[in-house]
Short mmCIF file of all heavy atoms in Angstrom, two decimals:
data_model
loop_
_atom_site.label_atom_id
_atom_site.label_comp_id
_atom_site.label_asym_id
_atom_site.label_seq_id
_atom_site.Cartn_x
_atom_site.Cartn_y
_atom_site.Cartn_z
N GLU A 1 146.53 114.97 6.52
CA GLU A 1 147.57 115.91 6.92
C GLU A 1 147.11 116.89 8.00
O GLU A 1 147.80 117.12 8.98
CB GLU A 1 148.06 116.70 5.72
CG GLU A 1 148.87 115.86 4.74
CD GLU A 1 149.15 116.57 3.40
OE1 GLU A 1 148.31 117.44 2.99
OE2 GLU A 1 150.20 116.29 2.84
N ILE A 2 145.87 117.40 7.86
CA ILE A 2 145.36 118.35 8.86
C ILE A 2 145.10 117.63 10.18
O ILE A 2 145.39 118.15 11.24
CB ILE A 2 144.14 119.14 8.35
CG1 ILE A 2 143.80 120.29 9.28
CG2 ILE A 2 142.92 118.28 8.20
CD1 ILE A 2 144.74 121.43 9.23
N ILE A 3 144.59 116.42 10.12
CA ILE A 3 144.35 115.66 11.35
C ILE A 3 145.65 115.42 12.08
O ILE A 3 145.76 115.61 13.29
CB ILE A 3 143.62 114.32 11.03
CG1 ILE A 3 142.17 114.61 10.67
CG2 ILE A 3 143.74 113.33 12.15
CD1 ILE A 3 141.39 113.43 10.13
N GLU A 4 146.70 114.99 11.36
CA GLU A 4 147.99 114.75 11.98
C GLU A 4 148.57 116.02 12.58
O GLU A 4 149.16 116.00 13.65
CB GLU A 4 148.97 114.11 11.01
CG GLU A 4 148.65 112.66 10.70
CD GLU A 4 148.51 111.80 11.98
OE1 GLU A 4 149.40 111.88 12.85
OE2 GLU A 4 147.50 111.11 12.08
N GLU A 5 148.43 117.12 11.88
CA GLU A 5 148.96 118.40 12.39
C GLU A 5 148.27 118.79 13.68
O GLU A 5 148.92 119.21 14.66
CB GLU A 5 148.88 119.51 11.38
CG GLU A 5 149.35 120.83 12.00
CD GLU A 5 149.71 121.86 11.02
OE1 GLU A 5 150.21 121.56 9.91
OE2 GLU A 5 149.53 123.03 11.36
N ILE A 6 146.95 118.71 13.70
CA ILE A 6 146.20 119.09 14.93
C ILE A 6 146.62 118.18 16.08
O ILE A 6 146.87 118.69 17.19
CB ILE A 6 144.70 118.99 14.64
CG1 ILE A 6 144.24 120.06 13.66
CG2 ILE A 6 143.88 119.17 15.99
CD1 ILE A 6 142.83 119.88 13.12
N LYS A 7 146.73 116.93 15.86
CA LYS A 7 147.13 116.02 16.93
C LYS A 7 148.57 116.28 17.37
O LYS A 7 148.91 116.19 18.56
CB LYS A 7 146.98 114.55 16.53
CG LYS A 7 145.51 114.15 16.40
CD LYS A 7 145.21 112.69 16.09
CE LYS A 7 146.20 111.83 15.48
NZ LYS A 7 145.70 110.50 15.09
N PHE A 8 149.43 116.65 16.43
CA PHE A 8 150.85 116.92 16.80
C PHE A 8 150.97 118.25 17.56
O PHE A 8 151.65 118.33 18.56
CB PHE A 8 151.70 116.98 15.48
CG PHE A 8 153.14 117.33 15.75
CD1 PHE A 8 153.99 116.39 16.28
CD2 PHE A 8 153.62 118.58 15.49
CE1 PHE A 8 155.35 116.69 16.53
CE2 PHE A 8 154.95 118.91 15.72
CZ PHE A 8 155.82 117.96 16.26
N VAL A 9 150.32 119.30 17.05
CA VAL A 9 150.47 120.60 17.69
C VAL A 9 149.66 120.69 18.98
O VAL A 9 150.10 121.33 19.97
CB VAL A 9 150.01 121.72 16.70
CG1 VAL A 9 149.98 123.08 17.37
CG2 VAL A 9 150.92 121.74 15.47
N TYR A 10 148.48 120.08 18.99
CA TYR A 10 147.63 120.12 20.20
C TYR A 10 147.52 118.74 20.79
O TYR A 10 148.46 118.21 21.41
CB TYR A 10 146.26 120.73 19.85
CG TYR A 10 146.38 122.20 19.44
CD1 TYR A 10 146.43 122.56 18.10
CD2 TYR A 10 146.50 123.19 20.36
CE1 TYR A 10 146.57 123.87 17.72
CE2 TYR A 10 146.68 124.52 20.01
CZ TYR A 10 146.69 124.85 18.69
OH TYR A 10 146.86 126.18 18.29
N ASP A 11 146.42 118.07 20.59
CA ASP A 11 146.21 116.68 21.05
C ASP A 11 144.91 116.18 20.42
O ASP A 11 144.22 116.84 19.69
CB ASP A 11 146.15 116.61 22.58
CG ASP A 11 145.10 117.50 23.19
OD1 ASP A 11 144.01 117.75 22.55
OD2 ASP A 11 145.30 117.96 24.32
N GLU A 12 144.66 114.86 20.69
CA GLU A 12 143.50 114.24 20.07
C GLU A 12 142.17 114.82 20.61
O GLU A 12 141.19 114.92 19.86
CB GLU A 12 143.51 112.70 20.34
CG GLU A 12 142.45 112.01 19.47
CD GLU A 12 142.88 110.59 19.10
OE1 GLU A 12 144.07 110.25 19.29
OE2 GLU A 12 142.04 109.92 18.55
N ASP A 13 142.14 115.25 21.88
CA ASP A 13 140.93 115.86 22.40
C ASP A 13 140.60 117.16 21.64
O ASP A 13 139.41 117.43 21.35
CB ASP A 13 141.08 116.18 23.90
CG ASP A 13 141.05 114.95 24.77
OD1 ASP A 13 140.50 113.90 24.31
OD2 ASP A 13 141.57 115.00 25.91
N THR A 14 141.59 117.93 21.33
CA THR A 14 141.39 119.14 20.55
C THR A 14 140.83 118.80 19.18
O THR A 14 139.92 119.44 18.70
CB THR A 14 142.71 119.98 20.43
OG1 THR A 14 143.15 120.27 21.75
CG2 THR A 14 142.49 121.22 19.61
N LEU A 15 141.44 117.80 18.56
CA LEU A 15 140.96 117.32 17.25
C LEU A 15 139.48 116.97 17.32
O LEU A 15 138.67 117.47 16.53
CB LEU A 15 141.76 116.11 16.77
CG LEU A 15 141.17 115.43 15.55
CD1 LEU A 15 141.21 116.34 14.31
CD2 LEU A 15 141.94 114.14 15.27
N ILE A 16 139.11 116.23 18.29
CA ILE A 16 137.70 115.79 18.46
C ILE A 16 136.82 117.02 18.63
O ILE A 16 135.72 117.06 18.03
CB ILE A 16 137.56 114.81 19.62
CG1 ILE A 16 138.25 113.50 19.27
CG2 ILE A 16 136.11 114.57 19.98
CD1 ILE A 16 138.45 112.51 20.40
N ASN A 17 137.23 117.96 19.45
CA ASN A 17 136.46 119.18 19.70
C ASN A 17 136.33 120.05 18.41
O ASN A 17 135.33 120.80 18.28
CB ASN A 17 137.03 120.01 20.79
CG ASN A 17 136.83 119.38 22.13
OD1 ASN A 17 135.84 118.67 22.34
ND2 ASN A 17 137.75 119.63 23.04
N LEU A 18 137.25 119.91 17.49
CA LEU A 18 137.21 120.76 16.25
C LEU A 18 136.42 120.12 15.13
O LEU A 18 136.06 120.80 14.18
CB LEU A 18 138.67 121.04 15.80
CG LEU A 18 139.47 121.92 16.72
CD1 LEU A 18 140.90 122.03 16.24
CD2 LEU A 18 138.85 123.32 16.85
N ILE A 19 136.18 118.82 15.21
CA ILE A 19 135.41 118.14 14.15
C ILE A 19 134.00 118.66 14.18
O ILE A 19 133.35 118.61 15.20
CB ILE A 19 135.48 116.60 14.34
CG1 ILE A 19 136.94 116.13 14.19
CG2 ILE A 19 134.59 115.87 13.35
CD1 ILE A 19 137.16 114.68 14.53
N PRO A 20 133.50 119.13 13.03
CA PRO A 20 132.15 119.73 13.00
C PRO A 20 131.06 118.83 13.55
O PRO A 20 130.19 119.28 14.31
CB PRO A 20 131.91 120.00 11.51
CG PRO A 20 133.28 120.15 10.91
CD PRO A 20 134.14 119.20 11.74
N GLU A 21 131.06 117.53 13.24
CA GLU A 21 130.02 116.63 13.77
C GLU A 21 130.05 116.57 15.27
O GLU A 21 129.00 116.49 15.93
CB GLU A 21 130.17 115.21 13.17
CG GLU A 21 129.94 115.10 11.70
CD GLU A 21 131.14 115.53 10.89
OE1 GLU A 21 132.28 115.45 11.34
OE2 GLU A 21 130.91 115.98 9.73
N ALA A 22 131.22 116.59 15.86
CA ALA A 22 131.36 116.51 17.33
C ALA A 22 130.78 117.78 17.95
O ALA A 22 130.14 117.75 18.98
CB ALA A 22 132.82 116.32 17.75
N LYS A 23 131.01 118.96 17.32
CA LYS A 23 130.47 120.19 17.85
C LYS A 23 128.93 120.18 17.81
O LYS A 23 128.30 120.69 18.69
CB LYS A 23 131.01 121.37 17.07
CG LYS A 23 132.46 121.62 17.32
CD LYS A 23 132.88 122.92 16.66
CE LYS A 23 133.71 123.66 17.65
NZ LYS A 23 133.92 125.00 17.36
N GLU A 24 128.36 119.62 16.74
CA GLU A 24 126.91 119.58 16.65
C GLU A 24 126.31 118.70 17.74
O GLU A 24 125.24 119.00 18.24
CB GLU A 24 126.51 119.07 15.27
CG GLU A 24 126.78 120.03 14.14
CD GLU A 24 126.52 119.45 12.76
OE1 GLU A 24 125.93 118.35 12.67
OE2 GLU A 24 126.93 120.06 11.78
#
């Protein structure tokens, strides 16, 4: 649900940037 909301409200790039592993 949270993944779908982030992609709907923002986009997939934002989702990727918010994933903790990607930030590390």
Side-chain angles (χ1 to χ4, degrees):
E1 290 170 329
I2 191 71
I3 286 171
E4 287 306 311
E5 176 161 329
I6 293 167
K7 290 185 340 187
F8 177 76
V9 173
Y10 295 98
D11 55 31
E12 191 149 350
D13 288 337
T14 301
L15 170 64
I16 291 167
N17 288 330
L18 293 174
I19 296 172
E21 294 81 26
K23 289 187 136 195
E24 289 174 11

